[in-house]
């Protein structure tokens, strides 16, 4: 999950000099610095590459920008003709700075004696990235429907929607392979909107593309650890764990730890799933839930993590306290 960001004063200081958010993402020196900032402070076991899941549509030729207070915006795909305009041939022209960030970050981790920290790369999964590409950003209409245009396209014109997914599978596979080549030691696939699909469409638009991406990556890097994060997939996460080929599965904070232990950790290592709101609030509630998670998953391989990214108002002392709880835990 996101570790760097607006809760860190050193991030805010650097961010003020970077220009726009994407200027920061595509500046290898700055992005590598942001990636390492929480490692210097907290000594976490994994450094998460500082980037964004929407660099893929931008690399394919779709306009992307960030508006203050509103988040990402894209020039929305409206028809099959728009899909045909996406160009796989020049994506590295856009993404090369990210590969440079990875190489530079590995160099810094070694030079600062932080090389026991694993560098984790990531990408957005095709379904989630397609949601943003079609809606033109995050989306919820007046009736509370989430990504309605994307679901309508997937359900009513699945043939052309499949063409978009095929493009995204190829682009994402290439992007992850290049990240590994540049030096990441594990990769994670974020399917943030997996949970808005029913089980049949979950199989088609979440599981099937993930299988293809992992197969493509493993043809070249058969031993790379891969973490999958199908957010709010609930019981569908079991099928995801069984079918996709992932090595570990991320749990969002809505998932019951006991259920996850019995149904997911019995299959493979799990990662998660503290509510970031508890980290924000701190105190006894934080300690209680952190210890409950640690105790629940203590008998098998487990990566302690949040169930979503750090909230920007989170006090640094709360993060320090959580690190202390995890490090001092004895099963």
């Amino acid at each position: 999950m996101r570790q760097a960001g607006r809760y860190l004063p050193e991030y805010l200081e650097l961010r003020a000099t970077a220009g726009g958010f994407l200027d920061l993402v595509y500046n290898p020196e700055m992005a590598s610095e942001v990636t390492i900032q929480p490692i210097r402070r907290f000594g976490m076991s994994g450094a998460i590459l500082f980037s964004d899941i929407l660099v893929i549509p931008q690399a394919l030729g779709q306009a992307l920008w960030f508006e203050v207070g509103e988040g990402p915006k894209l020039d929305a795909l409206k028809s099959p003709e728009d899909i045909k305009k996406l160009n796989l041939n020049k994506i590295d022209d856009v993404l090369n700075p990210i590969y440079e960030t990875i190489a530079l970050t590995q160099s810094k981790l070694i030079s600062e004696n932080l090389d026991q920290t694993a560098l984790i790369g990531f990408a957005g999964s095709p379904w989630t990235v397609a949601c943003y590409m079609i809606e033109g950003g995050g989306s919820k209409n007046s009736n509370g429907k989430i990504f309605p245009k994307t679901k309508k396209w997937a359900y009513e014109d699945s043939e052309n929607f499949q063409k978009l997914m095929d493009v995204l599978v190829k682009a994402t596979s290439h992007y992850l392979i290049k990240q590994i080549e540049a030096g990441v030691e594990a990769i994670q696939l974020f399917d943030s909107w997996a949970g808005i699909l029913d089980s049949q469409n979950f199989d088609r638009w979440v599981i099937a593309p993930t299988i293809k991406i992992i197969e493509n990556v493993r043809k070249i890097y058969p031993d790379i650890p891969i973490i999958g994060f199908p957010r709010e997939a609930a019981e569908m996460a079991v099928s995801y764990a069984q079918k996709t080929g992932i090595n570990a599965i991320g749990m969002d904070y809505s998932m019951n730890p006991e259920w996850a232990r019995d149904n997911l950790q019995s299959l493979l290592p799990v990662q998660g799933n503290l509510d970031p709101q508890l980290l924000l609030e701190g105190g006894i509630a934080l300690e209680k839930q952190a210890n409950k998670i640690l105790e629940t998953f203590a008998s098998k391989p487990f990566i302690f993590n949040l169930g979503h990214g750090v909230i920007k108002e989170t006090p640094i002392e709360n993060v320090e306290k959580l690190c202390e709880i995890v490090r001092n835990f004895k099963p």
Side-chain angles (χ1 to χ4, degrees), residues 228-250:
F229 181 60
R231 188 168 75 95
E232 295 186 352
E235 68 273 9
M236 295 185 293
V238 175
S239 180
Y240 183 97
Q242 292 171 327
K243 295 177 180 178
T244 56
I246 56 171
N247 300 103
I249 189 165

Side-chain angles (χ1 to χ4, degrees), residues 109-305:
L109 288 170
I110 292 170
S111 67
E112 296 183 33
N113 295 315
L114 298 171
D115 50 323
Q116 293 303 305
T117 298
L119 179 56
I120 304 173
F122 71 91
S125 294
W127 165 254
T128 288
V129 174
C131 284
Y132 289 98
M133 294 175 77
I134 292 170
E135 305 288 343
S139 176
K140 183 182 289 187
N141 72 9
S142 59
N143 296 320
K145 296 178 181 177
I146 300 175
F147 295 106
K149 296 176 185 176
T150 310
K151 294 178 78 172
K152 179 180 174 65
W153 195 339
Y155 294 174
E156 296 184 3
D157 186 10
S158 59
E159 181 179 348
N160 279 306
F161 191 80
Q162 183 65 59
K163 292 177 182 177
L164 173 59
M165 297 297 273
D166 290 343
V167 170
L168 290 173
V169 164
K170 290 177 183 177
T172 306
S173 300
H174 175 84
Y175 180 44
L176 290 172
I177 288 166
K178 293 289 285 187
Q179 286 189 44
I180 299 164
E181 182 182 301
V184 300
E185 296 158 279
I187 55 176
Q188 183 154 350
L189 280 162
F190 288 92
D191 224 333
S192 303
W193 297 106
I196 70 173
L197 291 167
D198 61 34
S199 60
Q200 180 180 348
N201 285 285
F202 183 89
D203 283 348
R204 182 168 188 181
W205 304 125
V206 172
I207 289 180
T210 303
I211 290 172
K212 290 179 182 177
I213 290 169
I214 291 175
E215 286 176 347
N216 291 340
V217 171
R218 293 210 187 284
K219 285 176 185 175
I220 301 176
Y221 293 103
D223 299 321
I224 190 76
I226 301 176
I227 306 165
F229 181 60
R231 188 168 75 95
E232 295 186 352
E235 68 273 9
M236 295 185 293
V238 175
S239 180
Y240 183 97
Q242 292 171 327
K243 295 177 180 178
T244 56
I246 56 171
N247 300 103
I249 189 165
M251 305 173 291
D252 62 83
Y253 56 84
S254 70
M255 188 171 283
N256 180 281
E258 287 86 358
W259 182 91
R261 176 196 62 206
D262 297 340
N263 293 278
L264 294 175
Q265 199 184 24
S266 58
L267 301 172
L268 75 182
V270 294
Q271 171 184 285
N273 69 326
L274 184 76
D275 186 342
Q277 187 71 31
L278 285 169
L279 184 60
L280 172 69
E281 300 299 335
I284 298 299
L286 170 64
E287 293 187 42
K288 183 177 179 180
Q289 185 62 20
N291 279 299
K292 177 184 178 181
I293 292 169
L294 289 163
E295 289 164 4
T296 300
F297 297 112
S299 64
K300 292 182 180 178
F302 167 62
I303 305 165
F304 188 94
N305 206 343

Side-chain angles (χ1 to χ4, degrees), residues 14 20 30 51 53 60 69 71 75 85 88 127 153 168-169 183 190 205 217 260-261 272 285 311 324:
L14 186 65
M30 288 185 172
S51 186
I53 65 170
L60 289 167
D75 188 7
K85 296 175 185 176
L88 279 161
W127 165 254
W153 195 339
L168 290 173
V169 164
F190 288 92
W205 304 125
V217 171
R261 176 196 62 206
I311 298 170
E324 179 187 326

